[in-house]
Amino acid sequence: MKDLALISISSMCAETITHPVDFIKTQKQYHKTRISTFNIFKNVLKRDGFRGFYPSLAPAIVRHWIYTTTRVGLYEKLRTNDSEFSSKFLAGSLAGGIAQLIASPTDLIKVKLQTQQLTGKTKKTPVQIIKNVYKNQGIKGFYHGWKPNVTRAMTVNIGELVAYDTGKNYLLNYMKDDVYCHGLASLHSGFWSTLLSTPADVIKTRMMSDSKNTMFGVARDTIKNEGVLSLWKGFIPIWCRLAPWQFIFWVSYEQLRLVNNLGGFK
């Protein structure tokens, strides 16, 4: 149980520090016309100041307490130290998919908080959003967009967990199991998780914000109206978030494990 608590602490630190980048990424993905990351940043700063980048921190942290704790914990149980890449691939996919399915309602609330000013609707608190979703759609409304969300989680965990795991094991052939090794492995995982997960992330954002369309309907309309590359919309801000998120999470988690005599993540 101690390792699960350490995962929660590390994920909270990583999410709090990188949350403004996640907010900008979500706003960029919601826009169906081209808008620069700088313009989004400038508009938010002018309208709400620095606090404007933290409209959904509470559900984001709760999400990671559920999602990251579950996925990392499951991955460590499902794979073994001598697992082949294919086994780690499967373990990462399953852990990510299961964890995100459980945490999907918190993600929906987070996305609605981040995009509500763009939809032209009255600004609501997290409690009001929860009441509104339940009133209009019932419990199933909290799982709107779960398919692309789970798909994204499966791909992002291949990038985050499997890439970190295999990258670290490779680096251990040339360097010590220290903070430098953890940092390099986390940057490696940040790139792959961004590349693999961005299309599902774009579809998820548009579905959860205000779309009543299906996963394939959103994908079809996005490609038709904006081109295939629009599925990687927000790639740079996603990478700018995932790379430091991975760095902060893995370095802090590894160090907390060592301090608590649990050994490194291997």
Side-chain angles (χ1 to χ4, degrees):
M1 292 297 292
K2 184 184 288 187
D3 59 335
L4 298 181
L6 300 183
I7 294 170
S8 297
I9 294 170
S10 299
S11 66
M12 180 177 67
C13 293
E15 185 62 28
T16 301
I17 294 171
T18 63
H19 191 71
V21 186
D22 180 60
F23 172 73
I24 293 172
K25 175 270 298 183
T26 301
Q27 294 234 330
K28 190 176 181 69
Q29 290 177 335
Y30 177 82
H31 279 283
K32 296 177 177 60
T33 55
R34 181 169 293 183
I35 183 170
S36 70
T37 301
F38 176 75
N39 281 336
I40 293 174
F41 177 84
K42 182 178 65 175
N43 292 339
V44 173
L45 194 63
K46 181 180 179 180
R47 184 180 63 238
D48 301 313
F50 190 70
R51 65 184 178 84
F53 296 101
Y54 283 91
S56 54
L57 182 60
I61 289 177
V62 173
R63 171 183 176 263
H64 273 288
W65 280 345
I66 300 170
Y67 169 62
T68 298
T69 302
T70 303
R71 68 188 174 101
V72 177
L74 271 178
Y75 180 74
E76 291 195 74
K77 297 294 185 295
L78 290 173
R79 60 92 170 157
T80 58
N81 292 345
D82 58 349
S83 291
E84 296 293 330
F85 178 79
S86 57
S87 298
K88 292 181 178 180
F89 185 97
L90 180 60
S93 299
L94 286 174
I98 293 170
Q100 187 57 74
L101 182 62
I102 298 170
S104 198
T106 58
D107 216 9
L108 180 108
I109 297 166
K110 183 192 78 168
V111 169
K112 286 186 175 297
L113 283 167
Q114 291 179 338
T115 60
Q116 60 181 340
Q117 286 183 323
L118 302 177
T119 63
K121 298 178 181 178
T122 304
K123 192 173 181 180
K124 294 181 174 66
T125 66
V127 173
Q128 289 174 325
I129 289 174
I130 293 170
K131 288 181 178 179
N132 189 58
V133 171
Y134 183 75
K135 179 182 178 181
N136 295 325
Q137 300 170 278
I139 294 296
K140 69 176 183 179
F142 292 102
Y143 286 88
H144 183 65
W146 72 268
K147 290 180 181 179
N149 212 12
V150 169
T151 301
R152 174 195 174 276
M154 294 176 73
T155 55
V156 84
N157 275 275
I158 294 169
E160 289 187 1
L161 298 177
V162 181
Y164 181 84
D165 193 3
T166 55
K168 179 184 174 183
N169 284 327
Y170 174 79
L171 290 170
L172 287 176
N173 294 318
Y174 305 97
M175 57 195 307
K176 296 178 181 179
D177 188 0
D178 56 17
V179 67
Y180 300 106
C181 175
H182 307 156
L184 287 173
S186 65
L187 293 176
H188 174 252
S189 71
F191 172 79
W192 284 106
S193 58
T194 304
L195 183 66
L196 294 171
S197 69
T198 300
D201 200 39
V202 170
I203 296 169
K204 177 210 75 171
T205 295
R206 295 189 174 189
M207 284 188 71
M208 286 185 163
S209 57
D210 63 350
S211 175
K212 302 298 186 293
N213 209 340
T214 64
M215 173 180 173
F216 294 105
V218 171
R220 181 193 64 234
D221 292 345
T222 299
I223 294 172
K224 179 181 178 181
N225 298 325
E226 303 169 59
V228 175
L229 291 180
S230 64
L231 291 176
W232 276 269
K233 204 168 191 178
F235 179 88
I236 297 300
I238 291 175
W239 192 11
C240 288
R241 176 183 182 252
L242 280 180
W245 198 101
Q246 294 300 309
F247 183 86
I248 296 165
F249 172 77
W250 284 112
V251 170
S252 61
Y253 179 47
E254 292 269 23
Q255 295 305 306
L256 285 171
R257 286 180 64 94
L258 294 174
V259 169
N260 286 274
N261 299 316
L262 294 177
F265 181 89
K266 295 180 180 178

